[in-house]
Amino acid sequence: MNPDPSTEWKNQSTVTEFILLGYQEHRTVLFIAFLIIYLAILLGNGLIVVVTTWDPALKTPMYFFLRSLSGLEMCYTSVTLPKMMANLVSGNLSISLPACATQMFFMLFLGATECFLLAAMAYDRYLAICLPLHYMTVMSHKVQIGLVAGSFTISLPMQLIQIGLIFSLPFCGPNEIDHFFCDIPPVLSLACTDLYVNELAVYTENILFVIIPFVLILASYAYISRTILRMPAGIGRQKAFSTCSSHLTVVSLFYGSAMVVYLRPKTSDSVRADKVLSLLYTVIIPLCNPLIYTLRNREVKASLSRFLSQKEFFKVNTG
C-alpha cells in the first residue's frame, strides 16, 4: 500500500534554514552603497519626524500622518537592509526558518500598514479640499490617532494567519531563495506540497490590503479632482494641487511596484525582475519620501530651515 503523501512530505521536511542569494557580485561596493542609503533613509525620515513634532506650525492632521509615514518607513527598511548588509559583509547567506518567518511577518505587516496609511492620507486630503468647513471637526485628534492605529492593527490577524499557513508547509529542498529577503513568492516556490490554500490566502490578502486601499485612494482623488477643477484658476487651485502632488507621487511609486510584484502571474523569468522591483518599494521609495515631501512642500522646507538654523545657533553659542 502506498504511504500517505502528507506523511512522506513531513518525513522529507529537512530544511532548517534558507539561503538568501540576494546580490553577491561587487559585495564591498554594494555594502557601502546600501549603508549610505540606509543612513540617508534614517536621517531623512527622522528629520521629518523631529521637525513635524517640533514646529507648532506643523501641528495639523496632514503632518501628523506624514510623521507616521516617515516613522513607518524607517521601520520598514530596517526589516531588510541590515540583514542584507550583514550578508554582504560576512558572506553568510543563511537565515533560519524562525528568522525568515519573523522577517516576512514584519514585511507583510508594515507593507499592509503603509497601504492603509496612504489611504488615510488620501481621506485627509479629501476632507481638506472637498469639505474644508467641516475639516477640523471631522479630522479631530482622536480621529487621527484612530486612523493611524487602525492602519497598524487592521492587518495583524491576517498576517499571523498567513505566516502560520506558509511556515507550516513542508520544505524538502532546495533551500536557496533568489532574493534579498524572505518574500512570499520565492518561499512558497520551495514548498513540496499543494499550495492551493496558500495561494488563496495570498490573493485574499492582496484584495483586502492592496486593492481595497488603492480603490479608496482613487475614489478620494476622483472627488478631489472634481473639486479642484471647479475652483477658479489661481492660488487656491495651485495650493490644492501642491498639497496632493507629493502624496500622489508616493502612491504611484509604492503601488506601481508592489502591484507588479504581487499581482502579476508568476513565471520563471519574473524572479529577477521581482527582486529589482522589491528594491524600489523597500529601499528607494523610503529614501525618496523625505525629498518628495520637502522639495514640493514650502511649509516643511521653511520649518526644516528654521529647525537647522536654531540648532546651529545653539551649537555656536554653547561652543
Side-chain angles (χ1 to χ4, degrees):
M1 187 173 76
N2 291 332
D4 182 5
S6 62
T7 304
E8 183 178 341
W9 285 330
K10 289 178 182 177
N11 292 336
Q12 292 175 354
S13 183
T14 57
V15 172
T16 59
E17 62 180 20
F18 293 122
I19 305 298
L20 294 173
L21 298 179
Y23 297 93
Q24 291 306 307
E25 297 180 357
H26 312 293
R27 284 164 46 189
T28 302
V29 174
L30 285 176
F31 171 77
I32 294 172
F34 284 125
L35 177 61
I36 293 172
I37 289 172
Y38 184 52
L39 293 176
I41 290 170
L42 296 181
L43 177 62
N45 287 285
L47 271 176
I48 287 183
V49 171
V50 171
V51 168
T52 55
T53 303
W54 166 80
D55 194 343
L58 302 183
K59 300 291 187 182
T60 63
M62 182 173 73
Y63 296 111
F64 176 79
F65 290 121
L66 177 57
R67 180 164 62 250
S68 302
L69 179 65
S70 294
L72 176 67
E73 295 287 30
M74 290 190 288
C75 297
Y76 193 53
T77 307
S78 297
V79 174
T80 56
L81 270 184
K83 174 61 178 174
M84 181 167 62
M85 290 188 293
N87 289 350
L88 290 171
V89 169
S90 66
N92 180 12
L93 310 181
S94 65
I95 183 170
S96 66
L97 261 66
C100 184
T102 302
Q103 187 183 62
M104 184 185 292
F105 167 76
F106 280 106
M107 283 299 299
L108 295 175
F109 171 60
L110 294 173
T113 299
E114 183 157 352
C115 290
F116 281 102
L117 189 55
L118 289 172
M121 295 173 77
Y123 176 62
D124 172 71
R125 291 300 82 206
Y126 160 75
L127 290 176
I129 294 173
C130 300
L131 301 170
L133 298 179
H134 303 282
Y135 177 57
M136 294 310 299
T137 302
V138 176
M139 191 55 72
S140 64
H141 188 61
K142 184 177 180 180
V143 171
Q144 297 168 43
I145 294 175
L147 287 172
V148 172
S151 298
F152 273 91
T153 59
I154 192 170
S155 70
L156 186 60
M158 181 64 183
Q159 306 313 335
L160 291 172
I161 293 171
Q162 183 78 275
I163 294 301
L165 288 173
I166 292 173
F167 287 89
S168 63
L169 295 172
F171 296 99
C172 314
N175 66 337
E176 293 182 343
I177 300 175
D178 189 12
H179 215 306
F180 61 92
F181 67 91
C182 289
D183 203 5
I184 291 180
V187 170
L188 283 181
S189 69
L190 300 180
C192 48
T193 185
D194 180 69
L195 299 176
Y196 174 77
V197 174
N198 299 87
E199 291 171 349
L200 183 62
V202 170
Y203 283 121
T204 302
E205 179 168 324
N206 288 337
I207 292 172
L208 292 177
F209 305 122
V210 179
I211 300 299
I212 289 179
F214 185 63
V215 170
L216 293 175
I217 292 171
L218 290 180
S220 296
Y221 276 104
Y223 284 105
I224 289 171
S225 299
R226 186 179 65 176
T227 301
I228 291 176
L229 292 175
R230 289 178 177 178
M231 293 180 179
I235 297 177
R237 178 185 288 188
Q238 183 179 353
K239 184 177 180 180
F241 273 120
S242 177
T243 59
C244 296
S245 59
S246 299
H247 181 252
L248 274 175
T249 302
V250 172
V251 167
S252 300
L253 290 172
F254 180 79
Y255 272 97
S257 57
M259 283 184 171
V260 171
V261 170
Y262 290 105
L263 298 183
R264 70 172 175 172
K266 297 300 172 185
T267 65
S268 58
D269 298 329
S270 67
V271 175
R272 185 175 296 273
D274 287 353
K275 187 164 65 173
V276 174
L277 286 168
S278 296
L279 272 179
L280 181 61
Y281 66 82
T282 59
V283 178
I284 304 303
I285 294 176
L287 175 66
C288 293
N289 274 0
L291 296 175
I292 292 171
Y293 279 105
T294 55
L295 294 178
R296 304 175 69 93
N297 190 306
R298 293 180 181 178
E299 291 177 328
V300 175
K301 284 193 292 185
S303 179
L304 184 60
S305 178
R306 290 194 300 271
F307 176 79
L308 295 176
S309 299
Q310 186 185 58
K311 294 304 175 184
E312 185 65 28
F313 175 79
F314 179 77
K315 182 180 178 181
V316 170
N317 281 270
T318 55

